[in-house]
């Protein structure tokens, strides 16, 4: 029934529909190339990552992703299996007697991906820009200790420290911030913390295509000085959801899933059981620890701490909670790091009787008709906090709660946000907490450093160790000593003592997992926990 | 009618101002110290001096009203601050991700309308028929199944098994299908039922009988008269959901790796990126207000009673 | 009272309507027999539930055939309506038989203008185009003395008063010159002044077009004013039929007597109408 109003209505409706249609079509007209199909059509590996790779700035942190930074930028020294430090961009180096001067002989045939030369000038430039933002980087031990950076000649660079610090070489292997950006990558101001002009590095990969929050494609650096990758391209798809990653892998959209906690354990086991894929689990990368605050009265007694350690079936718990993906840990740090293979500490095996005995000895007795032990009228009760987002921590907390209840110990568990967990740990506002060390290449020196430094939570937690002063001195010394043997001895003592005193309980070794399609071969886990897994990898069409 | 629209636009302004005041106050009242949050996001161990300096920079030592006033002036210029994490303007970060979310919202709205209107309508006219039972089944499923589960289900069947659509991502119209359907499902559940009920109610109304006595074809009575009136509550509902859709497509965006600003918002929360969170909340408020306005305007076209009430002819 | 069938415009014979309930078939109206001549106003009186609505709906064939059983003969100008196909029935409704509803405020579709609905009715029964239909509608409204038909045409139902709407409804009913108009309580929702206007209008239509009117009402004043003959219904049956004077002066059935007794004031109130008309 047309009249004026109807006509208006019809034109309004049509206008709306037209706008909608244009919006939809317009937005979808970005037809992508068939980067949807897998490496089957070109020598490419498709990989998924939960977050966008970031700006690929070698000198800054979040939201840049470590693995991506490690594909494009290289270190002077590289960290290999077992803690071996191999020459990389530096062919060799000499350390002075007093341990404060480091002279590096740089490799001479290295070029950045844009063809410019890698030399001492650019090395110094990179160090200098890092030093202008020293607050950002003071977490890395050697940086605040740098006194001077010098160009000796085109291929010789010298680094002078204010005091001796042996972990310097090891720390040069980290993924960020001490890797090298080419001249063209520096912004006008020269300060990379503001941003970079282009991601120019010396590494085996170069950024080819990039769409924020969607994907990043890296192509092989044909001018790479080292061994050229077998694969021509790496396509990184940004897939934030773990289940979706599994589905994409099952469909064949992904060639490789790799990382820690990237897919859940059940999914991993299920994919493994189909036998259609290759699965692997790495060597231990870190230790999951339980930290007890010895400031708390109930936990100040060594026997109580030991009893708690004896009082739960570690093997069963780790096997049950992680479905065998993690391994029962006997040492605070995994033994495949430098200096950690020879630690003198008693292995604690599951022994409920012994636990109960220790508690009795410490004066915590079970009153008639009650479930919780008491001493001087106080109950043996404390609280364990865990990261509410981590299901493994939660499950372990629940297991400990029920196992220790059998000893007459009341454990209250509380799930908190990660930021809160960190804050409370630092402020020493906790009874028990989960912790894990950084891993390679930061340990063991970063770990013991954290233990000794104020404001991280550890130093306060171990404050009632009887040998605390001695321990702190040893830790201060181990960083400075230039004697290799002395260093090894100190570590053995420090780590042994930390463990013997029982406030730090090793629970399990964390490992990385990987699954790939059968046509992918030569996959290896990187020795450096933060690096990419594409070294040597190849794919058959 | 133009005056009505104008009046509505004017009422939006004070409501939005109230929203800005609330957001601003809540952020200031929360235990998060913006200076600390800034340094944590930037991965810097801040000394007390640095915190003081940053607080000065942020103007946190000034009286509340002055801080609020400054923020308000900036908001009028679309300056929502700088992201703590990326150091880019918040406005830029949000608007660069908006098209993707808008696309998803429109896609799911269209699907919701295209599916619920016929089904709801037919279910109402043909009560207890096959279509009616189907519509009730649909509503039940749509209301009970959580969207992420539905999303995974769709991906599993239509993408992995049948290879009809891609698993995730954005790009072609094929990428839009599964996420839109997933996002539309709860809407379909709700609105099919709503429309069905509305139709059933209307069928009892005298005007339907009267139209029949005038000899109007049943199809015209149903398709023109009844549908027009019955659809009205559904339009209102959809409009209110428009705001929800845009700001709440978070789950669907996560499951399908859809690069919209819902996803970005989640990251901002984890990173304690205060300016982004603030900007997002204000944007959400704005979207809700505007979508309600749009719905009201559409309602006016459909139901003339709304704008003309009070102008009775004797 | 039995005249030859040909003289009746509308002839209802042995109408029985039953509805399916949980306990079986239940009778709604029984043995309904009556006829209407050209130009006759037949009043139908009864309380609610007596079967008035069922009767009028049966004539229009708008009862739900799925759960109702309609027996008997309903002929309009000798064409049998009971059981006729929907398509053909539609041609009758609105054109040959028009219906006027009780509450004019609800009768029109609220989201279309009066004009749109008038034109809709006209165009579903004629081949007129929109412009012609509009002209016809406005003419009709004019001829029944509705003020400002052009404005009414553009108005929405909610913009008009009850009395005005009722008169528009009647105009709409009349514009296609139906043989029969069924007016279901046409004055009940109105005030006295508008009641008068409505009755006046109906009378006008009857005299100008010779339309037969089935006037359903429980208001004896209205019945006494307009009807030529009256049927009284109770419990689904017609218990008395008489011409209007006879009925009011000499009611036969007990029920009729009771009805008249309970509304004495209205009965007396009827007097003023005659003088006003």
């Amino acid at each position: 029934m047309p009249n004026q109003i109807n006509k208006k209505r019809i034109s309004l409706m049509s206008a709306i529909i037209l706008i909608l249609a244009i919006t939809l079509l317009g937005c979808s007209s970005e037809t992508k190339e068939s980067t949807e199909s897998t490496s089957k059509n070109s020598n490419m590996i498709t990989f998924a990552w939960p977050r966008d790779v970031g700006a690929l700035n070698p000198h800054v942190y979040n939201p840049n992703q470590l693995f991506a930074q490690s594909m494009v930028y290289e270190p002077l020294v590289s960290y290999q299996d077992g803690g071996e430090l191999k020459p990389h961009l530096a062919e060799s180096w000499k350390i002075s007697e007093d341990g404060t001067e480091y002279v590096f002989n740089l490799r001479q045939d290295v070029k950045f991906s844009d063809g410019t030369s890698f030399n001492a000038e650019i090395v110094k430039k990179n160090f200098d820009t890092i030093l202008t933002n020293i607050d950002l980087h003071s977490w890395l031990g050697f940086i605040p200790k740098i006194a001077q950076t010098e160009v000796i000649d085109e291929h010789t660079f010298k680094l002078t420290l204010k005091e001796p610090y042996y972990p310097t070489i090891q720390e040069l292997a980290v993924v960020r911030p001490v890797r090298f950006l080419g001249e063209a990558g520096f912004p006008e101001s020269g300060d990379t913390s503001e941003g970079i002009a282009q991601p120019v590095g010396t590494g085996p990969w170069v950024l080819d295509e990039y769409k924020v929050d969607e994907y990043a494609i890296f192509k092989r650096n044909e001018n790479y000085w080292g061994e050229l990758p077998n694969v021509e391209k790496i396509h990184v798809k940004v897939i934030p959801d773990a289940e979706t990653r599994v589905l994409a892998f099952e469909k064949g959209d992904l060639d490789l899933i790799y990382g820690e906690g990237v897919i859940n354990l059940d999914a991993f086991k299920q994919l493994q059981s189909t036998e259609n894929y290759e699965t692997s689990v790495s060597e231990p990368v870190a230790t999951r620890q339980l930290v007890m605050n010895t400031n708390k009265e109930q936990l100040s007694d060594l026997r109580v701490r030991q009893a708690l350690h004896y009082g739960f079936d570690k093997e069963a718990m780790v096997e049950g909670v992680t479905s065998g993906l993690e391994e029962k840990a006997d040492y605070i740090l995994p033994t495949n790091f430098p200096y950690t293979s020879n630690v003198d500490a008693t292995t604690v095996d599951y022994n409920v009787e012994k636990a109960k005995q220790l508690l009795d000895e410490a004066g915590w007795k079970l009153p008639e008709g009650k479930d919780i032990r008491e001493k001087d009228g106080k109950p043996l009760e404390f609280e364990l906090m865990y990261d509410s987002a981590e299901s493994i921590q939660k499950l372990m907390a629940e297991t400990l709660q029920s196992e220790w209840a059998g000893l007459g110990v009341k454990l209250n568990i509380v799930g908190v946000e990660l930021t809160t967990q960190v804050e409370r740990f630092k402020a020493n506002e906790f009874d028990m907490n989960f912790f894990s060390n950084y891993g390679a290449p930061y340990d063991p020196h970063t770990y013991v450093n954290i233990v000794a430094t104020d404001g991280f939570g550890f130093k306060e937690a171990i404050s009632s160790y009887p040998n605390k002063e001695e321990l702190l001195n040893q830790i201060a010394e181990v960083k400075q000593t230039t004697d290799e043997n002395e260093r090894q001895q100190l570590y053995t003592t420090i780590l042994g003592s930390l463990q013997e005193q029982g406030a730090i309980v090793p629970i399990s070794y964390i490992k990385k997992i990987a699954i790939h399609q059968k046509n992918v071969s030569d996959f290896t886990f990187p020795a450096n926990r933060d690096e990419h897994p594409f070294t040597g990898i190849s794919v058959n069409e | 009618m133009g005056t009505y629209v104008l009046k509505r636009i004017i009422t939006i302004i004070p409501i939005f101002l109230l929203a800005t005041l609330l957001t601003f106050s809540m952020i200031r009242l929360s235990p998060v110290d913006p200076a600390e949050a800034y340094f944590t996001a930037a991965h810097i161990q801040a000394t007390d001096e640095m915190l003081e300096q940053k607080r000065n920079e942020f103007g946190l030592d000034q009286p509340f009203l002055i801080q609020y006033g400054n923020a308000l002036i900036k908001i009028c210029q679309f300056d929502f601050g700088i992201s703590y994490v990326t150091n880019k303007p918040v406005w830029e970060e949000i608007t660069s991700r908006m098209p993707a979310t808008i696309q998803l919202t429109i896609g799911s709205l269209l699907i919701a309308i295209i599916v619920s209107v016929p089904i709801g309508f037919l279910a109402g006219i043909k009560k207890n028929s096959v279509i009616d039972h189907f519509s009730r089944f649909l509503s039940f499923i749509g209301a009970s199944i959580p969207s992420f589960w539905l999303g995974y289900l769709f991906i599993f069947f239509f993408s992995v098994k049948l290879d009809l659509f891609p698993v995730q991502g954005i790009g072609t119209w094929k990428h839009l299908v599964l996420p839109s359907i997933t996002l539309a499902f709860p809407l379909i559940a709700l609105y099919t039922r709503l429309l069905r009920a509305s139709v059933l109610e209307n069928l009892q109304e005298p005007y339907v009988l009267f139209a029949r006595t005038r000899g109007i074809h049943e199809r015209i009575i149903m398709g023109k008269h009844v549908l027009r009136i019955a659809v009205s509550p559904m339009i209102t509902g959809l409009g209110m959901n428009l705001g929800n859709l845009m700001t709440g497509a978070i789950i669907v965006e996560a499951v399908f790796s859809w690069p919209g600003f819902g996803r970005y918002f989640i990251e901002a929360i984890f990173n304690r990126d205060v300016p982004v969170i603030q900007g997002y909340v204000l944007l959400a408020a704005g979207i809700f207000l505007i979508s309600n306005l749009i719905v009201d305007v559409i309602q006016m076209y459909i139901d003339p009673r709304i704008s003309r009430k009070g102008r009775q002819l004797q | 009272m039995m005249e030859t069938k040909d003289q009746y415009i509308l002839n209802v014979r042995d109408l029985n309507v039953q509805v399916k309930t949980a306990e079986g078939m239940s009778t709604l109206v029984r043995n309904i027999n009556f006829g209407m001549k050209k130009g006759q106003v037949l009043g139908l009186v009864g309380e609610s539930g007596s079967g008035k609505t069922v009767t009028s709906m049966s004539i229009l064939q708008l009862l739900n055939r799925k759960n109702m059983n309609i027996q008997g003969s309903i002929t309009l100008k000798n064409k049998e309506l009971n059981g006729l196909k929907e398509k053909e029935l539609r041609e009758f409704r609105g054109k040959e038989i028009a219906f006027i509803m009780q509450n004019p405020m609800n009768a029109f579709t609220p989201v279309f203008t009066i004009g749109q609905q008038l034109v809709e009715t006209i165009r579903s029964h004629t081949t007129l185009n929109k412009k012609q239909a509009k002209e016809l509608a406005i003419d009709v409204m004019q001829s029944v003395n509705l003020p400002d038909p052009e404005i009414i045409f553009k108005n929405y139902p909610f913009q008009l008063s009850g009395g005005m709407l009722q008169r528009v409804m009647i105009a709409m009913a009349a514009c296609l010159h139906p043989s029969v108009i069924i007016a279901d309580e046409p004055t009940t929702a109105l005030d006295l002044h508008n009641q008068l206007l409505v009755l006046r209008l109906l009378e006008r239509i009857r005299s100008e077009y010779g339309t037969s009117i089935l006037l359903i009402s429980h208001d004896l004043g209205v019945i006494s004013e307009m009807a030529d003959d009256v049927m009284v219904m109770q419990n689904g049956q017609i218990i008395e039929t008489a011409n209007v004077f006879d009925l009011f002066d000499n009611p036969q059935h007990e029920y009729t007597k009771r009805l008249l007794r309970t509304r004495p004031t209205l009965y007396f109130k009827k007097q003023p109408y005659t003088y006003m008309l």
Side-chain angles (χ1 to χ4, degrees), chain B residues 110-136:
Chain B
L110 278 179
I111 292 184
I113 295 178
I114 292 175
V115 173
S116 359
V117 170
I119 296 187
F121 182 62
L122 289 172
I125 336 186
K126 299 193 187 164
K127 194 169 163 193
N128 289 327
S129 63
V130 174
I131 277 227
D132 188 15
H133 288 298
F134 175 65
S135 83
R136 278 188 256 171

Side-chain angles (χ1 to χ4, degrees), chain A residues 294-329:
Chain A
T294 59
N295 276 328
K296 175 112 184 163
E297 199 194 317
Q298 286 99 324
L299 295 170
S300 57
D301 189 333
L302 173 62
R303 286 167 294 190
V304 172
R305 302 196 293 267
Q306 285 175 333
L308 290 173
H309 197 165
Y310 278 106
F312 73 99
D313 191 344
K314 201 186 291 181
E315 178 114 34
M317 177 170 93
V318 173
E319 175 70 37
V321 169
T322 69
S323 307
L325 248 46
E326 288 182 11
E327 205 184 293
K328 162 176 175 274

Side-chain angles (χ1 to χ4, degrees), chain A residues 314-315 318 326-330 347-350 507-509:
Chain A
K314 201 186 291 181
E315 178 114 34
V318 173
E326 288 182 11
E327 205 184 293
K328 162 176 175 274
D330 292 319
T347 319
V348 170
D349 289 317
Y350 184 42
I507 298 187
S508 59
Y509 293 131

Side-chain angles (χ1 to χ4, degrees), chain A residues 39-332:
Chain A
S39 53
K40 295 183 179 71
N41 68 357
S42 72
N43 189 357
M44 176 169 84
I45 288 202
T46 313
F47 176 66
W49 197 249
R51 304 183 57 195
D52 181 74
V53 296
L56 289 179
N57 181 336
H59 304 147
V60 297
Y61 304 92
N62 208 19
N64 290 279
Q65 298 301 300
L66 289 157
F67 83 92
Q69 288 168 309
S70 74
M71 286 166 79
V72 177
Y73 304 105
E74 295 183 299
L76 288 177
V77 176
S78 101
Y79 182 99
Q80 296 302 327
D81 286 317
E84 197 193 333
L85 295 168
K86 273 188 155 158
H88 200 76
L89 288 182
E91 260 177 353
S92 60
W93 55 88
K94 280 206 274 287
I95 312 176
S96 64
E97 277 288 316
D98 65 352
T100 60
E101 290 177 5
Y102 289 75
V103 175
F104 297 93
N105 298 314
L106 305 175
R107 194 177 293 271
Q108 302 203 9
D109 54 345
V110 180
K111 294 231 184 311
F112 283 98
S113 54
D114 62 354
T116 54
S117 291
F118 172 75
N119 53 32
E121 287 284 343
I122 197 74
V123 168
K124 177 172 158 68
K125 186 163 185 173
N126 272 271
F127 269 99
D128 289 343
T129 182
I130 291 174
L131 290 171
T132 52
N133 293 296
I134 204 160
D135 297 317
L136 264 177
H137 310 292
S138 56
W139 63 274
L140 189 58
F142 82 102
I143 302 227
K145 303 196 199 304
I146 296 180
Q148 205 183 16
T149 59
E150 275 174 75
V151 173
I152 304 293
D153 62 46
E154 198 189 341
H155 296 286
T156 316
F157 172 76
K158 180 171 172 188
L159 189 67
T160 315
L161 304 177
K162 300 175 196 160
E163 56 189 56
Y165 184 73
Y166 93 85
T168 304
I169 298 291
Q170 193 173 338
E171 290 184 353
L172 282 168
V174 302
V175 170
R176 58 194 185 197
V178 284
R179 294 199 179 190
F180 303 96
L181 180 67
E183 184 70 48
F186 280 84
E188 279 204 23
S189 63
D191 182 0
T192 54
S193 70
E194 294 170 10
I196 57 171
Q198 305 165 42
V200 179
T202 61
W205 303 99
V206 172
L207 185 65
D208 188 21
E209 281 174 57
Y210 176 53
K211 251 189 161 200
V212 179
D213 285 348
E214 289 183 49
Y215 62 87
I217 302 184
F218 294 87
K219 69 171 192 254
R220 179 166 70 189
N221 179 2
E222 303 293 342
N223 299 320
Y224 185 52
W225 60 270
E227 198 178 313
L228 206 60
N230 300 321
V231 174
E232 282 169 30
K233 287 194 181 185
I234 306 273
H235 181 153
V236 180
K237 286 190 183 207
V238 181
I239 306 183
D241 187 272
E243 288 305 318
T244 314
R245 285 195 285 273
V246 174
L247 287 165
F249 183 77
E250 280 184 295
K251 184 169 182 196
D253 282 352
L254 301 177
D255 296 311
L256 171 67
I257 291 185
Y258 157 83
E260 285 171 55
V262 280
I263 63 175
N264 77 51
L265 298 173
D266 289 328
F268 183 75
K269 289 259 143 186
Q270 187 252 323
L271 288 173
Q272 198 176 36
S273 65
T274 64
E275 301 203 352
N276 292 332
Y277 315 104
E278 301 283 345
T279 58
S280 26
V281 177
S282 72
E283 293 294 307
V285 292
T287 311
R288 195 185 291 283
Q289 304 158 351
L290 188 66
V291 181
M292 305 194 203
N293 189 354
T294 59
N295 276 328
K296 175 112 184 163
E297 199 194 317
Q298 286 99 324
L299 295 170
S300 57
D301 189 333
L302 173 62
R303 286 167 294 190
V304 172
R305 302 196 293 267
Q306 285 175 333
L308 290 173
H309 197 165
Y310 278 106
F312 73 99
D313 191 344
K314 201 186 291 181
E315 178 114 34
M317 177 170 93
V318 173
E319 175 70 37
V321 169
T322 69
S323 307
L325 248 46
E326 288 182 11
E327 205 184 293
K328 162 176 175 274
D330 292 319
Y331 299 102
I332 293 183

